[in-house]
Amino acid sequence: MNTQQTLDGTDAQILLALSAEPRATVVALAERLGLSRNTVQARLAKMERSSALGAFERRITPGALGYPLTAFVTARVDQHRLAEVSGALAGIAEVVEVFGLSGDTDLLVRVVAADAEDLYRVAGRILDIPGIERTSTALAMRELVPHRLTPLLRRADTGGHRRPHPGNP
């Protein structure tokens, strides 16, 4: 999940420009930023290889595919079967993300569904997975802060600290 390589200010500028204009060509990005085309292309290739750039599918909204409901399923798992459980979850199309957690809950599973009945079906499929001991499902009522990295890119672009110092926001 974590990228080994830290992005620098130039990388952040490229990503901010790409975020503002996702369909921009490498030449257009280079002109906009005052960088050479080769520099922009090489840095984008390096970010793709290091997984700093995520998959395009992240930009597709589930609602556009007929899945307007989002829910979060927390699950307790038999730790000896974690790999088996992860594989089974990956086999459910409506499971769009799974995070391993510390604490009382082992997994946070983000699912999408067409409607309440579909959500019930998906939650049941998750609970039926061998190794899942207990689940709890919470329906997302609305997204208050969408997935975003622009504030962090702006901080990196200005040479700011990657992490705020305690006491400073």
Side-chain angles (χ1 to χ4, degrees):
M1 195 162 94
N2 293 334
T3 302
Q4 291 273 330
Q5 183 173 342
T6 302
L7 302 178
D8 65 15
T10 301
D11 294 327
Q13 288 176 3
I14 292 168
L15 293 174
L16 281 167
L18 199 53
S19 178
E21 197 175 335
R23 300 173 96 189
T25 64
V26 170
V27 172
L29 290 170
E31 287 176 5
R32 179 176 177 180
L33 299 171
L35 299 169
S36 76
R37 180 193 60 78
N38 288 341
T39 297
V40 172
Q41 188 148 1
R43 284 179 175 257
L44 285 171
K46 182 178 75 171
M47 287 185 267
E48 286 174 351
R49 282 192 309 274
S50 70
S51 299
L53 286 175
F56 173 78
E57 70 183 24
R58 181 101 182 169
R59 295 185 50 144
I60 303 166
T61 61
L65 300 172
Y67 299 91
L69 295 183
T70 297
F72 295 91
V73 178
T74 56
R76 293 281 309 248
V77 177
D78 175 351
Q79 293 300 303
H80 296 97
R81 300 181 87 172
L82 186 58
E84 180 184 345
V85 168
S86 297
L89 288 169
I92 300 172
E94 295 87 355
V95 170
V96 295
E97 286 183 302
V98 180
F99 292 95
L101 304 176
S102 62
D104 292 336
T105 300
D106 298 313
L107 300 177
L108 176 65
V109 183
R110 181 176 173 214
V111 301
V112 296
D115 53 32
E117 190 66 30
D118 192 35
L119 177 58
Y120 185 80
R121 178 191 59 79
V122 173
R125 281 191 66 192
I126 292 170
L127 189 55
D128 285 343
I129 294 172
I132 297 274
E133 296 173 350
R134 185 176 68 223
T135 65
S136 177
T137 302
L139 181 63
M141 301 303 286
R142 70 179 189 188
E143 186 177 70
L144 299 174
V145 178
H147 179 81
R148 66 198 181 111
L149 294 175
T150 301
L152 297 175
L153 286 170
R154 286 191 183 120
R155 181 182 289 163
D157 177 33
T158 60
H161 302 288
R162 282 189 294 279
R163 293 187 186 114
H165 185 273
N168 292 336

